[in-house]
Amino acid sequence: MTSPPLTHIPLAERLRPKTLGEVVGQQHLLGEGMALRLAFESGQPHSCIFWGPPGTGKTTIARLMADAFDAQFITISAVLGGVKDIREAVEKAQLAQQQGLRTLVFVDEVHRFNKSQQDAFLPHVESGLFTFIGATTENPSFEVNSALLSRAAVYMLQALTADDLKQIVALAQSHHALPAIEDIAVERLVAYADGDARRLLNTLEILAVSALQEKRSEITDVWLLKVLGERMRRYDKGGEQFYDTISALHKSVRGSDPDASLYWFMRMLDGGADPKYMARRLIRMASEDIGLADPRALRLALDAAEVYERLGTPEGELALAECVVYLAIAPKSNAVYKAFNEVKAFIKQDGTRPVPMHLRNAPTKLMKELDYGKGYRYAHDEAGGFAAGERYLPDGMTDPGFYRPVERGLEIKIAEKMRSLKQRNDQAR
């Protein structure tokens, strides 16, 4: 490090992109020919909402948009602000309009504003007094009024990739903001940042100040852990401990132990795991380990994920915990999971069998003349809604028996139904 850092200016501010080309990540929106870049190049600003995780560039892109359109940039925090701030923004926009200037009003965490506060923007957005830009980490379908949502384009930002974050570390070094860093320390920092550029930059700033005080020429992994403490040591997303812990949770749910399941679930949260990631894993468990033994499990997992989307942390985590307990005590079946894998493997090694003529669609006269669909029996017209003896597999293919329900939960009744239908088929054939 050749010179001391400018501690009076935060590192995140010093490295903030000055042009669209300097933005790290979000190339699905900002790359050549992509939607948001085209909006910049059009010369015509439009109201929009940036939806994405923290630290993905929502504020930065809004500022660049104001610069691109030579507009006055007004920021309102929905956490700290209210109607008074909206009124002041309107007054500033009116003064700018009188001088022939545009105004862009940026509302950070817009989902924190209530309905009446969001409604206060509507007449001014419609009149063109200012361009409205909202930023939110929550699903705007739930958190933003439909009237405001209908007047704004929604752009979904993505968490930064590991390569994106490494690029930011290299950028900080190129600005002489911190000394050399061991590769393993960079990997740990990137894992800890978890796609959040702001978290990474704040962490780098702590390290830079500490390194300067101790006159260190290199940031090692050992020293990094010493400076940042136990939380950094525990949180190892993408590493062995992370996957060991999620494995323990999955196996505890599969083993029907609600206490162990809750323990490992909270270990994941305490270690810094993203609750949205946890919600996705619970949905997977409901499909893989419970399946049709209790179809309500999948619905409950989806509901828990939606509750977390609406409430966030910490309130939404309770719904996820409720789901963990339900999945643990639910009857277990991997019959569908096994059948799915067996069918996939069978199709990979089997030839492409033609669809039997009686099962083919016949939308044209020629197809009917070629006997497409001939002899098909409409199950609803048969006794009990079942065409006993009819075959639905390709010709010459024996019944593979992929799906074998277990004698647990709802699959007990499913197995009984399948045995009954098989008996009717055997009698009719």
Side-chain angles (χ1 to χ4, degrees), residues 13 16 50 56-65 73 75 106 108-109 133 135 157 198:
E13 192 60 36
R16 191 181 294 279
F50 296 147
T56 51
K58 297 185 287 292
T59 304
T60 294
I61 295 173
R63 287 188 178 185
L64 290 174
M65 186 173 283
F73 186 72
T75 302
F106 175 71
D108 195 18
E109 298 192 74
I133 306 290
L157 280 70
R198 188 184 300 117

Side-chain angles (χ1 to χ4, degrees), residues 30-46:
L30 299 175
E32 291 294 334
M34 296 295 105
L36 202 47
R37 176 175 284 274
L38 292 175
F40 271 77
E41 294 171 350
S42 71
Q44 293 297 320
H46 63 274

Side-chain angles (χ1 to χ4, degrees), residues 241-252:
Q241 184 180 357
F242 179 87
Y243 289 109
D244 283 348
T245 310
I246 193 64
S247 174
L249 169 60
H250 199 147
K251 288 169 182 171
S252 298

Side-chain angles (χ1 to χ4, degrees), residues 316-355:
E317 291 170 1
L318 180 59
L320 297 179
E322 180 182 326
C323 179
V324 167
V325 172
Y326 187 93
L327 296 184
I329 62 176
K332 303 300 188 294
S333 171
N334 67 346
V336 173
Y337 175 66
K338 289 172 66 177
F340 175 81
N341 287 328
E342 284 183 30
V343 173
K344 184 163 67 171
F346 177 84
I347 288 174
K348 271 190 176 181
Q349 59 84 31
D350 190 47
T352 303
R353 299 173 184 255
V355 176

Side-chain angles (χ1 to χ4, degrees), residues 147-181:
L148 187 57
L149 197 60
S150 68
R151 291 162 175 79
V154 176
Y155 295 108
M156 190 171 179
L157 280 70
Q158 299 173 352
L160 271 64
T161 66
D163 287 341
D164 292 334
L165 294 171
K166 288 176 184 178
Q167 187 178 334
I168 291 174
V169 175
L171 184 64
Q173 289 181 301
S174 72
H175 281 66
H176 307 293
L178 68 160
I181 308 179

Side-chain angles (χ1 to χ4, degrees), residues 66-296:
D67 292 342
F69 300 121
D70 196 22
Q72 173 183 215
F73 186 72
I74 300 175
T75 302
I76 299 175
S77 170
V79 175
L80 304 173
V83 174
K84 178 176 177 291
D85 299 88
I86 299 173
R87 190 180 302 117
E88 289 177 355
V90 170
E91 291 172 355
K92 290 179 181 177
Q94 289 171 335
L95 286 173
Q97 190 179 55
Q98 291 170 8
Q99 299 168 12
L101 299 175
R102 292 169 168 169
T103 297
L104 189 152
V105 176
F106 175 71
V107 182
D108 195 18
E109 298 192 74
V110 65
H111 60 276
R112 301 277 187 171
F113 270 157
N114 60 35
K115 184 179 185 303
S116 62
Q117 289 169 321
Q118 292 184 27
D119 283 345
F121 292 103
L122 287 175
H124 309 297
V125 171
E126 289 183 336
S127 70
L129 176 64
F130 54 70
T131 300
F132 171 86
I133 306 290
T136 178
T137 56
E138 305 298 326
N139 189 331
S141 300
F142 300 138
E143 305 296 341
V144 178
N145 291 355
S146 57
L148 187 57
L149 197 60
S150 68
R151 291 162 175 79
V154 176
Y155 295 108
M156 190 171 179
L157 280 70
Q158 299 173 352
L160 271 64
T161 66
D163 287 341
D164 292 334
L165 294 171
K166 288 176 184 178
Q167 187 178 334
I168 291 174
V169 175
L171 184 64
Q173 289 181 301
S174 72
H175 281 66
H176 307 293
L178 68 160
I181 308 179
E182 278 187 344
D183 289 344
I184 188 173
V186 173
E187 294 291 342
R188 190 180 296 277
L189 284 167
V190 166
Y192 178 69
D194 194 24
D196 185 335
R198 188 184 300 117
R199 178 190 280 189
L200 175 64
L201 289 166
N202 290 342
T203 306
L204 291 176
E205 189 145 39
I206 293 170
L207 293 173
V209 171
S210 299
L212 183 67
Q213 290 172 344
E214 297 186 20
K215 297 182 170 58
R216 296 190 65 89
S217 60
E218 183 182 36
I219 295 173
T220 65
D221 189 50
V222 173
W223 182 78
L224 180 152
L225 290 173
K226 174 186 170 184
V227 172
L228 297 178
E230 182 64 22
R231 184 172 180 81
M232 172 68 86
R233 185 176 290 107
R234 279 205 317 256
Y235 188 78
D236 186 24
K237 187 176 190 325
E240 184 176 349
Q241 184 180 357
F242 179 87
Y243 289 109
D244 283 348
T245 310
I246 193 64
S247 174
L249 169 60
H250 199 147
K251 288 169 182 171
S252 298
V253 168
R254 182 182 295 147
S256 300
D257 188 329
D259 285 344
S261 299
L262 272 178
Y263 171 79
W264 293 116
F265 172 72
M266 289 310 301
R267 276 279 301 271
M268 294 291 293
L269 291 184
D270 182 64
D274 183 355
K276 292 180 181 177
Y277 167 81
M278 301 301 296
R280 292 194 296 272
R281 291 304 300 243
L282 294 176
I283 293 169
R284 168 70 186 214
M285 292 175 204
S287 299
E288 179 178 338
D289 291 297
I290 296 165
L292 292 179
D294 185 354
R296 293 171 299 183

